[in-house]
Amino acid sequence: MKSLIDHARSFSVRVAERPDEFRELAAGQSPEALFITCSDSRVIPSLITGARPGELFELRTAGNIVPRYDEERPSGEAATIEYALRVLGVRDIVVCGHSHCGAVGALVRGDDLSAVPAVRGWLDLGGGELPSEQGLAHCVQHHAAAQLDTLRGYPAVRERLADGQLSLHAWYYEVDTGAVSSHRPELGGAFRPL
């Protein structure tokens, strides 16, 4: 924790070296995309994409799960998606799964999650069977693409898709190599390098 505190203490010095950039950020945001990814500490959206502050609106959830839309039971995830589309006007949503994903791995292996019931309940929201016979990487890719189907159930997503003002993307990030591949529906749902 000490290194994080030390960095936070010195951050204002670095901000002071670029006052115009941070003054512009203080005036508002207009991110290019909503980036939905896993809470895993090894997955850093700005590192993967090269995004600067203000360019990505991020939603981090265990296993990059997008819960089904339920107007009667609002969630932080639904609020983030709605805000990104209706207020910020993002034109792209990326759901990014990753190699070595503990959440998807637990689902594939059928791990006993009785000691973490909230995690078990959350993972159950991921939806769909995972084709475990094809390996963890394939399962994570399949899982990321399945979240796009869930997103299509959100009113704001449906509206923006119908207007041609939104594109949905599923990515797969390999932690150990840095390679990123993208879901290609036109290729039968295969993932290919960006």
Side-chain angles (χ1 to χ4, degrees):
M1 190 67 191
K2 181 180 178 344
S3 65
L4 301 177
I5 292 170
D6 290 345
H7 184 84
R9 286 180 176 149
S10 65
F11 185 67
S12 63
V13 172
R14 289 188 298 284
V15 169
E17 294 168 353
R18 303 183 336 233
D20 293 341
E21 178 182 349
F22 284 89
R23 198 172 303 114
E24 187 177 314
L25 288 172
Q29 62 175 320
S30 56
E32 294 179 34
L34 169 59
F35 200 91
I36 301 171
T37 194
C38 188
S39 304
D40 192 301
S41 63
R42 300 167 293 180
V43 181
I44 311 298
S46 59
L47 186 64
I48 296 166
T49 64
R52 310 262 314 138
E55 292 179 342
L56 286 181
F57 200 62
E58 295 181 24
L59 174 57
R60 311 274 308 240
T61 69
N64 53 268
I65 291 172
V66 176
R68 296 202 184 289
Y69 183 81
D70 183 351
E71 188 175 336
E72 300 300 316
R73 299 186 68 179
S75 67
E77 297 81 18
T80 299
I81 293 163
E82 186 175 88
Y83 189 84
L85 295 173
R86 291 191 171 153
V87 176
L88 298 176
V90 299
R91 298 185 60 87
D92 292 277
I93 298 177
V94 175
V95 176
C96 184
H98 67 95
S99 66
H100 309 91
C101 183
V104 175
L107 289 173
V108 169
R109 292 184 303 270
D111 289 357
D112 176 10
L113 299 174
S114 57
V116 285
V119 172
R120 175 75 242 174
W122 178 254
L123 295 180
D124 287 343
L125 298 176
E129 292 295 315
L130 296 171
S132 59
E133 66 281 351
Q134 296 185 35
L136 182 59
H138 182 78
C139 289
V140 172
Q141 293 169 356
H142 178 84
H143 176 73
Q147 303 316 298
L148 300 182
D149 292 334
T150 305
L151 279 167
R152 289 182 182 97
Y154 281 66
V157 172
R158 279 194 311 267
E159 292 163 11
R160 296 287 302 281
L161 286 171
D163 292 346
Q165 305 235 344
L166 179 66
S167 296
L168 301 178
H169 315 271
W171 286 7
Y172 175 73
Y173 165 66
E174 293 180 14
V175 172
D176 50 330
T177 68
V180 179
S181 54
S182 176
H183 179 249
R184 305 289 174 86
E186 71 279 8
L187 298 176
F191 276 70
R192 296 288 183 257
L194 286 177

